[in-house]
Each structure stands twice: as C-alpha cells, then as structure tokens.
Amino acid sequence: MELHGYFRSSASYRVRIGLNLKGLQYDYRPVNLLKGEQRGEDYRKLNPQGLVPALVDGDRVLTQSLAILEWLEETHPAPALLPEDAVERARIRALAYSVASDIQPIQNLRVLRYLQSEYHLSNEQKQGWIQHWIHEGFCALEQQLDPGPFAAGEEPGLFECCLIPQIYSAERFGLDISGYPAIHRISQACAEIPAFAEARPEKQPDSTL
Ligand SMILES: N[C@@H](CCC(=O)N[C@@H](CS)C(=O)NCC(=O)O)C(=O)O
C-alpha cells in the first residue's frame, strides 16, 4: 500500500496510526501542502478534492481518512479499532466524527488561507479562530469520555486515531491540553504505544524537507 500524505496533516496522521495499529506495512509518499502539490494534476488524479490523504492499494484508490480507517477495519479486523457492541461502536464513531467532521475541517489549510485572503485575518486572529473551535470541541468531548484509559476501555481505536492528531494541532497552535483532563490522560496513554509514537509528524521523512 502507498499512503500519500503530509507529515503535519492530521487526516494523514489518523491513517498512519490506523495502519500501524493494524501492523500493516506501507510506503509513504509525501505531498507537500505548502507547495500546493495537493492541487497539482498528478495528485488530483488520486483525489479530485485536492486533499490528503489518499491510500493506494493495487489499482484501488481510497480517500477520506475515516473511510480509509473503516476499510482497514473491514479488511484487517484484528486488532479491532471498534468495539463489538453496536451501540458502543456508534458511540466511538460519534466521538471520532466530532473531531474529524466538526473540529478539524474549520482549521484546514485552505480555510485558513481563505480567511487570510478574503477577510484579511492576521496570524494572531487565525490562531484565535483555531483555538476557539478546538476548545469548544474538546470541552464537549471531555463530557463524553469514560474513565478509560481509552474511549472504548482498555485499547485505543478509531477515536484515538482522530484525537491524537487533533491534540498535535491544538498544541501547535498554542492550546494547553492539560486543561482537558480526559483528553490529556488519553494523550499520555497513547504516547506509550509504538503505533502512535511512530506515526508522529516529526518521525515522517517529509518533516525535514
Ligand atoms: N475529511 C478529509 C479531510 C482531509 C483534509 O482536510 N486534508 C488536509 C490536511 S489535514 C489537506 O489536504 N489540506 C490541504 C489544503 O487545505 O489545501 C479526510 O478526513 O481525509
């Protein structure tokens, strides 16, 4: 498999964690978002949306990080990213979607660039925008997380694949996550797990380019 992504992209980071948790090997193909490679003709053949990640498996191309993670779960069921119980699965998916659908999209590079070019937001104002939406999302998550250590109990899964990259972005934009005790606890627990540690942005070959 080939994962086309960017080291700091949280959606790519989600898939790296998922692949690592499943113990799957893949070749990493960097797409430089700052150079606009995601909008280039070659990459748009993989994902016409011009967003990373894209996962290539033989002649199949998968896009949308959550769809990729669900596909991995269906094709490589063990270890599971989702609980057995259907209601629990819905709960974990709801937590994951609250990060992937409601928090992350409004701080995407193209959104931030639009805020800058069309509404002339300064870097400080953009940072305030990002912090506001992450804070609101994290406060709601705090109320929904069980004692743990992870959202579904003893093992990390789909939600942690989404949460850890979101924490990385939160810290990058100056939010102190120690103010969110359950999120902070999950962050510390995941840091001990090689699948998460190896997926970190600074471990990716394009982090030094
Ligand atoms: N919903 C998509 C989101 C993908 C996405 O937002 N990718 C970002 C990086 S995290 C991107 O490619 N941004 C490029 C841009 O904004 O130009 C997914 O989960 O895969």
Side-chain angles (χ1 to χ4, degrees):
M1 283 186 277
E2 279 176 11
L3 176 64
H4 296 250
Y6 181 61
F7 73 108
R8 268 201 309 240
S9 143
S10 57
S12 309
Y13 190 176
R14 289 172 202 150
V15 175
R16 293 198 298 266
I17 297 169
L19 286 163
N20 292 351
L21 283 170
K22 298 278 185 194
L24 298 169
Q25 299 296 318
Y26 62 94
D27 291 327
Y28 184 62
R29 301 272 189 266
V31 179
N32 191 319
L33 300 189
L34 297 182
K35 289 187 181 162
E37 289 175 1
Q38 73 278 22
R39 291 188 299 276
E41 202 183 322
D42 283 350
Y43 184 73
R44 278 198 199 259
K45 284 182 192 150
L46 296 178
N47 186 357
Q49 269 193 301
L51 297 172
V52 291
L55 187 73
V56 179
D57 180 40
D59 55 5
R60 285 170 297 211
V61 181
L62 292 103
T63 59
Q64 287 289 343
S65 60
L66 268 291
I68 296 172
L69 289 168
E70 293 269 6
W71 175 78
L72 288 174
E73 181 74 347
E74 287 171 18
T75 52
H76 301 85
L81 298 178
L82 286 163
E84 271 181 37
D85 178 73
V87 174
E88 266 295 283
R89 276 204 301 278
R91 184 178 72 82
I92 295 301
R93 285 188 174 113
L95 293 172
Y97 297 171
S98 74
V99 175
S101 307
D102 300 331
I103 302 178
Q104 184 265 337
I106 39 186
Q107 29 155 317
N108 201 352
L109 181 62
R110 62 184 179 168
V111 172
L112 298 176
R113 283 192 167 160
Y114 192 77
L115 288 173
Q116 187 175 346
S117 65
E118 298 299 311
Y119 300 106
H120 312 294
L121 259 61
S122 64
N123 286 340
E124 200 176 63
Q125 287 171 314
K126 282 190 289 178
Q127 178 156 346
W129 166 278
I130 294 169
Q131 289 186 353
H132 170 81
W133 293 114
I134 299 179
H135 173 69
E136 190 169 294
F138 278 10
C139 287
L141 283 175
E142 278 294 311
Q143 293 174 41
Q144 301 171 75
L145 292 169
D146 290 341
F150 303 102
E154 294 303 315
E155 302 296 335
L158 189 76
F159 171 62
E160 284 77 15
C161 289
C162 295
L163 179 68
I164 296 303
Q166 191 59 61
I167 293 173
Y168 171 79
S169 296
E171 289 178 328
R172 190 172 149 229
F173 291 104
L175 210 63
D176 177 8
I177 66 144
S178 63
Y180 312 93
I183 287 171
H184 186 51
R185 182 201 70 221
I186 293 177
S187 168
Q188 289 184 312
C190 288
E192 304 296 317
I193 301 172
F196 286 85
E198 291 304 314
R200 286 194 62 78
E202 61 271 19
K203 290 274 190 126
Q204 309 314 307
D206 52 338
S207 71
T208 53
L209 293 181

